[in-house]
């Protein structure tokens, strides 16, 4: 199905199933422990051996020697895989560094060996006996020290151009009567998902099957094939359930490759789960940024000049954190400049983490907006409203398909009680607590990518959907089932959904907030093709056929849907492919985050007291699942604001707190009352579903709203995340 004109009325608009707060159909399996994740395929693979990964002990250098003698002689050991005996290995399109290193080392904890044994305990014990000597080389580990050497990265579809200009920023900024020039910093952060990167691999002749935890099945199968040098047709990836990813499982990692190599060496299936301490350094993370924002405005609050410059680092041939990109679209202003610079660092790979670009970018921009509002003597909401735009500020001829930022702000202000906020900081106290409110705009682009599905109708009237789309805890099973039920006119319990298998048609996958809208649009396309097959089979008038309650009605006839299937069933396959509507219209999602905090006037302890998110993100396919996505994202935003930081050892180039004991994330006690409001919106420019994404919009802006609330409570402006006690204590207001 080609989508190149705005959507008109279609079966989804019936809203009998779509748009309803529906329980997750995979919920019972997950709550009873019967949903099998990547590491839990014991029934199919009862003889699976265990692999234990050995990570590099230096961040930069080479292996001088590796003694495997004691490890090989250890009880139960079946094989040891290293770069010397693994055979010729390539590098996947989506991996910056090799997944199995040797002799050169690119980063700390890069995999250098896999020990395979009959039991996990035997593999772990033998791995401790591997003796490796390294020749260290000097490395570049400090972003601040490398900023002067940072270069413009190459443009691609995800990052966009490294620099954009409009008007004459320098002249307009110099002439502006009110100016802001400030620097902000965000730290390295970890995805810290509950399920580790885990895989089981098994060979059958030349065919390889990997049960793995991966968000993008087609990408993963392609990278495994390219790395091993085998045809993609010989690789099957299976990933029906994923215990969290947040972008960290967009690409196959060392567990998948090493499981395949270990299984080949041991001649039996092999299970590999990255040890928790390896996850922080061996896999990807959100890279640290330094950001400079300059803003000039008239005295009545109109922005005349805005510049946002961002620096981040990655391994050679890596990608930048595009923290400036939302500033190209957020606020009006004729004179504009954005630049992205990338430094070469010998740290573990920096890559996508929930809302890459916008999440760290708004951590800076939305503090800057508050700072500028204060300079102007304006309410922070009114300043944002005053500088709203309904067109792309860099390309004024290109309107937004939908942009309801002002409504989000106004709605949230009324619901949150913003009028009770005291504009002067440090003025509201409740006992020993300093109380403040903060606000920030939320923004995340709506990304479109083709997605396909196969739909089967059987003689019982059951509709089965097959697509390699994944469910990372987001509710993909349910919204796909809702889409098929709505389109085919059957109850939800008559739909079966099969996901996460490279044997199925290629979907958009889970990432970039694009999963829900695109995957359901692909399922809708396949269902519409199935409807065509049904009306042909039944011989009813096609355009007027009504699919409802398991029946097909047209021309005075009413025929059971199942009758069309016959004994052999009917199968249809199709997908959604987009035209150029996203070129003609800027497609984005918008929102507003409101936060109230209490700060202990003596200790500086910060407690988030209540939170509100207002989201305008097209049609909400399942409000119950969407709310869960947003409150989870809000929680993650609190982590980014107050506690999350990979502590970097700049001498030796590794993240010190590489486990869930040292890397702090919010727990239930940290999170108070959360409320989510979805604006009643459809966007026919986006897709036949008239939906967008919302899971990443929920994190964008949250950290800045927390930071702005802390400032309102204390008068202490922190521009360097996370906002920890040491950044507040000596600047808190006097107690008396």
């Amino acid at each position: 199905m080609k989508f190149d004109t705005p959507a008109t009325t279609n079966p989804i608009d019936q809203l009998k199933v779509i748009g309803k707060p529906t329980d997750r159909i995979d919920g019972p399996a997950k709550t009873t422990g019967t949903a099998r994740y990547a590491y839990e395929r014991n029934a199919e693979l009862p003889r699976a051996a265990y692999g234990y990964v050995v990570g590099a002990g230096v961040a930069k250098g080479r292996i001088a020697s590796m003694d495997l003698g004691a490890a090989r002689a250890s009880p139960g050991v079946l094989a040891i895989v290293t770069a010397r005996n693994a055979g010729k290995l390539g590098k996947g399109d989506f991996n910056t560094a090799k997944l199995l290193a040797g002799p050169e080392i690119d980063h700390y904890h890069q995999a250098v060996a896999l020990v395979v044994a009959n039991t996990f305990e035997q593999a772990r014990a033998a791995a401790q006996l591997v003796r490796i000597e390294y020749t260290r080389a000097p490395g570049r580990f400090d972003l601040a020290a490398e900023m002067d050497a940072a270069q413009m990265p190459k443009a691609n579809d995800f990052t966009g151009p490294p620099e954009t200009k409009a008007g004459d920023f320098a002249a307009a900024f110099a002439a502006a009567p009110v100016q802001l020039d400030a620097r902000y910093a965000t730290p390295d952060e970890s995805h810290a998902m509950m399920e580790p990167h885990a895989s089981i691999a098994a060979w059958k002749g030349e065919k390889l099957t990997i049960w793995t935890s991966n968000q993008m099945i087609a990408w993963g199968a392609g990278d495994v094939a390219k790395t091993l040098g085998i045809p993609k047709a010989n690789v099957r990836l299976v990933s029906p359930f994923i215990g969290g990813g947040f972008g960290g499982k967009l690409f196959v990692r060392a567990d998948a490759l090493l499981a395949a190599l270990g299984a080949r060496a041991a001649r039996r299936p092999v299970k590999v789960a990255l040890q928790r301490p390896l996850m922080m350094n061996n896999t990807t993370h959100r890279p640290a940024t330094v950001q400079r924002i300059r803003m000039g405005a008239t005295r009545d609050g109109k922005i005349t000049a805005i510049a946002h410059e961002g620096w981040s680092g990655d391994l050679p041939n890596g990608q930048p954190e595009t923290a400036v990109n939302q500033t190209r679209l957020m606020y009006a202003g004729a004179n504009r400049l954005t630049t992205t610079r990338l430094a070469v660092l010998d740290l573990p790979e920096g890559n996508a983490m929930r809302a890459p670009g916008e999440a760290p970018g708004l951590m800076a921009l939305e503090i800057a907006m508050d700072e500028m509002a204060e300079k102007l003597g304006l309410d922070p909401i009114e300043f944002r409203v005053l500088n709203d735009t309904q067109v792309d500020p860099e390309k004024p001829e290109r309107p937004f398909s939908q942009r309801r930022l002002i409504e989000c702000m106004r709605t949230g202000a009324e619901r949150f009680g913003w009028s009770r906020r005291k504009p002067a900081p440090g003025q509201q106290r409740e006992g020993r607590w300093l109380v403040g409110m903060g606000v920030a705009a939320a923004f995340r682009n709506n990304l479109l990518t083709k997605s396909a599905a196969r739909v089967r109708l059987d003689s019982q009237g059951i509709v089965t959907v097959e697509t390699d789309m994944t469910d990372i805890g987001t509710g993909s099973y349910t919204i796909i089932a809702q889409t098929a039920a709505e389109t085919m006119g059957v109850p939800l319990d008559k739909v079966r959904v099969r996901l996460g298998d490279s044997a199925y048609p290629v979907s958009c996958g889970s990432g970039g907030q694009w999963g829900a809208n695109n995957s359901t649009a692909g399922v809708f396309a396949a269902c519409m093709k199935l409807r065509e097959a049904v009306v042909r089979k039944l011989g009813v008038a096609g355009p007027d056929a009504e699919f409802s309650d398991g029946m097909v009605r047209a021309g005075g006839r009413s025929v059971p849907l199942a009758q069309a299937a016959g004994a052999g069933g009917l199968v249809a396959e199709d997908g959604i492919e987009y035209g150029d509507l996203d070129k003609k219209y800027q497609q984005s999602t918008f929102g507003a985050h409101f936060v109230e905090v209490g700060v202990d006037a003596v200790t500086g302890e910060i407690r988030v007291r209540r939170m509100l998110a207002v989201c305008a993100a097209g049609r909400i396919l399942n409000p119950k699942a969407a709310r869960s996505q947003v409150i989870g994202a809000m929680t993650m935003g609190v982590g980014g604001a107050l506690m999350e930081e990979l502590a970097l050892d700049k001498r030796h180039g590794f993240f010190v707190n590489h486990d869930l004991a040292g890397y702090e994330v919010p727990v239930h006690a940290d999170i108070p009352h959360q409320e989510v409001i979805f604006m009643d919106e459809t966007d026919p420019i986006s897709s036949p579903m008239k939906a967008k994404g919302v899971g990443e919009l929920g994190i964008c802006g949250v950290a800045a709203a927390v930071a702005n609330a802390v400032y309102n409570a204390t008068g202490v402006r922190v521009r360097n995340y996370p906002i920890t006690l040491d950044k507040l204590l000596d600047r808190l207001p006097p107690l008396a």
Side-chain angles (χ1 to χ4, degrees), residues 75-238:
V77 171
L78 302 172
I80 300 178
V81 177
T82 70
R84 294 189 65 179
N85 63 11
K88 183 180 179 181
L89 297 176
K91 186 168 72 67
D93 294 334
F94 296 99
N95 300 129
T96 304
K98 292 181 178 180
L99 298 180
L100 177 60
E104 300 295 329
I105 303 298
D106 299 306
H107 62 84
Y108 188 78
H109 269 172
Q110 189 176 14
V112 295
L114 179 78
V115 178
V116 181
N118 286 313
T119 70
F120 172 80
E121 290 79 10
Q122 289 173 331
R124 179 178 60 184
Q128 312 309 313
L129 301 176
V130 174
R131 296 289 176 258
I132 306 175
E133 297 292 333
Y134 299 96
T135 302
R136 292 179 182 268
R140 296 156 291 188
F141 309 129
D142 185 353
L143 175 60
E146 301 297 327
M147 282 173 57
D148 289 344
Q151 302 291 317
M152 278 193 187
K154 293 180 180 178
N156 61 46
D157 290 341
F158 289 103
T159 64
E163 181 172 84
T164 63
K165 296 179 180 179
D168 187 342
F169 166 76
F173 181 70
V178 184
Q179 298 177 346
L180 172 75
D181 186 347
R183 288 205 174 206
Y184 306 85
T186 64
D188 296 291
E189 295 176 358
S190 174
H191 303 85
M193 72 290 289
M194 186 177 293
E195 180 200 27
H197 294 73
S199 299
I200 307 178
W203 291 86
K204 189 173 183 180
E206 298 296 314
K207 302 283 188 178
L208 169 66
T209 300
I210 304 179
W211 294 264
T212 188
S213 189
N214 181 262
Q215 297 173 224
M216 302 290 292
I217 299 300
W219 289 3
D223 264 14
V224 168
K226 185 173 182 179
T227 304
L228 293 175
I230 62 177
K232 187 176 179 180
N234 287 359
V235 177
R236 182 184 176 201
L237 251 60
V238 184

Side-chain angles (χ1 to χ4, degrees), residues 595-598 605-611 631 634-640 642-644 663-674 706:
V595 174
E596 180 180 276
V597 303
E605 176 190 358
I606 301 170
R607 289 282 181 93
V608 176
R609 295 156 62 108
R610 58 193 182 100
M611 306 176 72
I631 64 172
M634 293 161 71
T635 301
M636 207 167 183
V638 171
L642 300 180
M643 58 193 72
E644 293 193 40
Y663 184 83
E664 296 186 21
V665 297
V667 297
H668 285 294
D670 297 311
I671 302 302
H673 175 72
Q674 294 173 310
V706 174

Side-chain angles (χ1 to χ4, degrees), residues 391-549:
V391 299
D392 179 342
E394 293 185 350
K395 302 170 185 173
E397 71 282 359
R398 188 165 175 250
F400 284 93
S401 62
Q402 297 275 355
R403 181 181 167 112
R404 301 177 67 188
L405 176 61
I406 292 177
E407 291 174 72
C408 291
M409 288 280 174
R410 298 277 194 230
T411 301
E414 182 178 354
R415 180 70 67 91
F416 201 69
W418 183 257
S419 61
R420 299 194 299 272
R421 170 185 176 270
K422 295 184 182 300
Q427 299 303 304
Q428 185 174 346
R429 292 178 183 254
E430 292 181 10
R432 65 186 292 163
W433 294 95
L434 298 163
V435 180
M437 293 186 194
V439 67
F443 172 94
R444 178 73 171 154
N445 269 330
N446 181 49
L447 302 176
L448 301 177
T449 182
K450 64 182 182 180
S451 189
R454 182 184 304 122
V455 188
R456 303 177 187 273
L457 174 66
D458 69 14
S459 60
Q460 303 301 309
I462 292 173
V463 177
T464 300
V465 182
E466 296 174 338
T467 171
D468 80 356
M469 178 61 183
T470 50
D471 189 319
I472 56 176
T474 47
S476 300
Y477 280 97
T478 308
I479 58 172
I480 285 173
Q482 288 176 270
T483 302
E486 191 78 78
T487 311
M488 298 306 301
V490 299
L492 200 60
D493 62 7
K494 287 285 189 179
V495 179
R496 307 287 182 267
V497 179
R498 298 173 179 167
L499 300 181
D501 191 325
S502 60
Y504 301 153
V506 176
S507 74
C508 58
S510 297
Q513 193 179 265
W514 64 59
N517 180 40
N518 294 290
S519 68
T520 54
V523 171
F524 171 77
C527 286
M528 292 302 289
K529 199 164 201 178
L530 181 60
R531 282 168 59 121
E532 294 173 6
V534 167
V535 297
R536 282 198 304 270
K537 185 78 174 287
L538 296 177
V540 298
D544 301 322
E546 177 191 350
F547 287 67
S548 178
D549 303 319

